[in-house]
Amino acid sequence: MKKFVSLFLALIMVLSVCVIASADAAPKKVGISMPTQSLERWNRDGEYLKNQFEAAGYEAILTYSDNKNEQQVNDIDNMLSQGIDLLIISAIDGEGLNTVMDRAAEEAVPVIAYDRLIMNDAVEYYVSFDNYTVGKLQGEYVEKALDLANAGDKTYNMEFTAGDPADNNAGYFFNGAYDVLKGYIADGKIIVVSGQTDFQQVATNQWSTDTALSRAQNILASYYADGTTLDAWLCSNDSTAAGVAQAIESDYAGDNAVIVTGQDGDIANLRNIVDGKQTMTVYKNVANEAVVTLEVAKAILSGAPVDESLIANFGDVECAFDTTSYFTSEGHFATSYLLVPTVVTKDNLQYLVDIGLYQWDADQVYLLAK
Ligand code: GAL
């Protein structure tokens, strides 16, 4: 009998070791929630993130929520029901995810806010670019291109198109640009002929190209049809810049080249830059954003410190560690990793080829996605 009991206990021990080993061996599961596929960059983000995590041995669930907040809530709820170990979310509405963020907190599922901050304290971590700097680069580009610092008595007419007010980034982009230009507006060197300089007046729901187009057409018809010169139009990203450039082409009678800014390096906008319909874009290497996100996720899931020391794991990716700029609620700051954006114009398009994410077309004139 004794022999049987000791054999039985040995069997239980072997089985429990196997179960623990198998539990440890089961790949960690990450949920990746992207906002939409209708805005070009998120297709790249989703692909890079999924590939990076799978290559590192994780199981990755990737969803796109068609720019519908309710769908994103359902997508994240479903991921949580599938027992994921970590959430990576680019929010459609930074204030629209409270129910699922509260559930993630209850179930102790860590959340990385990806690119766009989420206004809920369940979010401890934020990986993005320095969004204020993105806008600042756009404002500085206009300042330099018009040589505003040496304008003397010359005045310039310009307009603004900002992003989606539900997107926490949009305010940072607009403020970064406006803070560069507001002094020139105040002293009359820059005249915003439409008078629209408030973020809510110039914001574009869902970053929609069509919405940006129709607003720009209205402004051109109302304020520039009398021959008033338009010198610049500051757009916070490429999808809105595409609409503004189309309006200028169809509804602006002036023969001067209008400075148009953008962000993201969307293929159609890079064509517009070659063709002179857009002047610059602020490029954000989203492949690098995925690298940083993976390293942060690995540290979180392994219980390693999530602090400035992680930057050593990012290779040659330039990134700042920040714990005082982005808060999810008053006094609750996210541990943030902020990558560095790059200005791209027709003079340095080769940079996008050199980093391996784009290629020249057969005639070496336009860039294509790789
Ligand atoms: C922002 C993002 C930008 C911009 C926009 C449209 O949050 O940081 O890259 O393109 O969304 O998707």
Side-chain angles (χ1 to χ4, degrees):
M1 179 57 176
K2 268 186 182 173
K3 209 172 180 182
F4 172 76
V5 170
S6 55
L7 190 63
F8 178 70
L9 287 175
L11 186 61
I12 292 295
M13 275 175 65
V14 167
L15 277 176
S16 56
V17 166
C18 291
V19 166
I20 291 166
S22 64
D24 285 350
K28 295 279 188 188
K29 209 184 283 185
V30 297
I32 303 168
S33 170
M34 292 288 106
T36 177
Q37 290 191 282
S38 64
L39 288 162
E40 186 177 310
R41 68 152 290 179
W42 302 112
N43 297 284
R44 292 197 291 270
D45 295 85
E47 184 192 336
Y48 291 137
L49 284 165
K50 190 168 191 298
N51 293 346
Q52 287 274 5
F53 276 90
E54 288 176 344
Y58 294 87
E59 184 184 339
I61 303 168
L62 170 62
T63 62
Y64 291 93
S65 307
D66 196 22
N67 257 341
K68 296 181 178 81
N69 182 65
E70 278 323 299
Q71 184 173 331
Q72 189 166 40
V73 169
N74 291 334
D75 289 341
I76 295 169
D77 213 28
N78 292 336
M79 288 177 181
L80 288 165
S81 300
Q82 292 177 62
I84 51 160
D85 300 291
L86 178 133
L87 270 169
I88 297 157
I89 304 170
S90 177
I92 295 163
D93 179 347
E95 299 183 352
L97 298 177
N98 287 329
T99 53
V100 282
M101 290 299 93
D102 294 346
R103 180 183 173 188
E106 282 155 23
E107 297 175 11
V109 175
V111 181
I112 298 176
Y114 178 87
D115 200 80
R116 299 172 170 177
L117 195 56
I118 298 167
M119 308 315 285
N120 183 294
D121 291 353
V123 175
E124 293 288 333
Y125 311 102
Y126 181 42
V127 175
S128 190
F129 285 79
D130 182 334
N131 296 308
Y132 182 84
T133 297
V134 168
K136 186 163 173 279
L137 289 171
Q138 293 168 337
E140 287 171 346
Y141 187 89
V142 172
E143 179 186 40
K144 190 161 170 258
L146 296 178
D147 193 14
L148 292 172
N150 305 301
D153 297 333
K154 266 186 76 64
T155 61
Y156 297 93
N157 299 326
M158 76 172 289
E159 301 293 335
F160 291 85
T161 294
D164 185 347
D167 176 352
N168 192 63
N169 285 352
Y172 286 98
F173 298 145
F174 177 71
N175 291 335
Y178 199 77
D179 285 353
V180 171
L181 299 170
K182 63 186 178 186
Y184 297 109
I185 294 171
D187 67 17
K189 283 198 179 57
I190 288 180
I191 301 164
V192 181
V193 182
S194 70
Q196 297 178 20
T197 57
D198 178 76
F199 175 70
Q200 291 303 333
Q201 287 176 305
V202 303
T204 312
N205 284 338
Q206 307 242 321
W207 296 91
S208 158
T209 297
D210 290 343
T211 303
L213 166 63
S214 57
R215 176 173 168 265
Q217 287 173 321
N218 290 336
I219 287 174
L220 290 170
S222 307
Y223 301 99
Y224 294 84
D226 61 358
T228 298
T229 298
L230 173 68
D231 297 293
W233 202 306
L234 189 124
C235 302
S236 289
N237 90 317
D238 281 352
S239 63
T240 53
V244 168
Q246 194 180 329
I248 290 168
E249 191 173 9
S250 60
D251 295 68
Y252 174 60
D255 54 9
N256 65 299
V258 180
I259 296 162
V260 176
T261 67
Q263 172 190 184
D264 290 328
D266 290 0
I267 293 295
N269 297 76
L270 295 173
R271 287 182 73 90
N272 278 354
I273 287 174
V274 171
D275 294 342
K277 297 173 188 171
Q278 182 172 330
T279 323
M280 64 84 84
T281 189
V282 176
Y283 182 69
K284 306 187 307 187
N285 186 327
V286 293
N288 287 346
E289 199 170 9
V291 166
V292 171
T293 302
L294 173 66
E295 291 305 321
V296 173
K298 282 160 69 174
I300 294 168
L301 292 172
S302 65
V306 185
D307 57 20
E308 193 157 14
S309 67
L310 267 189
I311 288 181
N313 302 358
F314 299 165
D316 58 358
V317 176
E318 215 183 328
C319 184
F321 179 71
D322 179 294
T323 56
T324 59
S325 300
Y326 291 93
F327 55 84
T328 54
S329 69
E330 195 60 43
H332 185 274
F333 291 90
T335 298
S336 305
Y337 296 86
L338 304 174
L339 289 90
V340 177
T342 307
V343 170
V344 169
T345 68
K346 67 179 184 326
D347 300 328
N348 68 335
L349 290 169
Q350 183 61 36
Y351 158 78
L352 296 176
V353 177
D354 295 346
I355 59 174
L357 301 178
Y358 296 78
Q359 59 192 342
W360 289 108
D361 67 357
D363 302 327
Q364 300 278 314
V365 174
Y366 296 111
L367 287 180
L368 306 171
K370 234 183 170 171

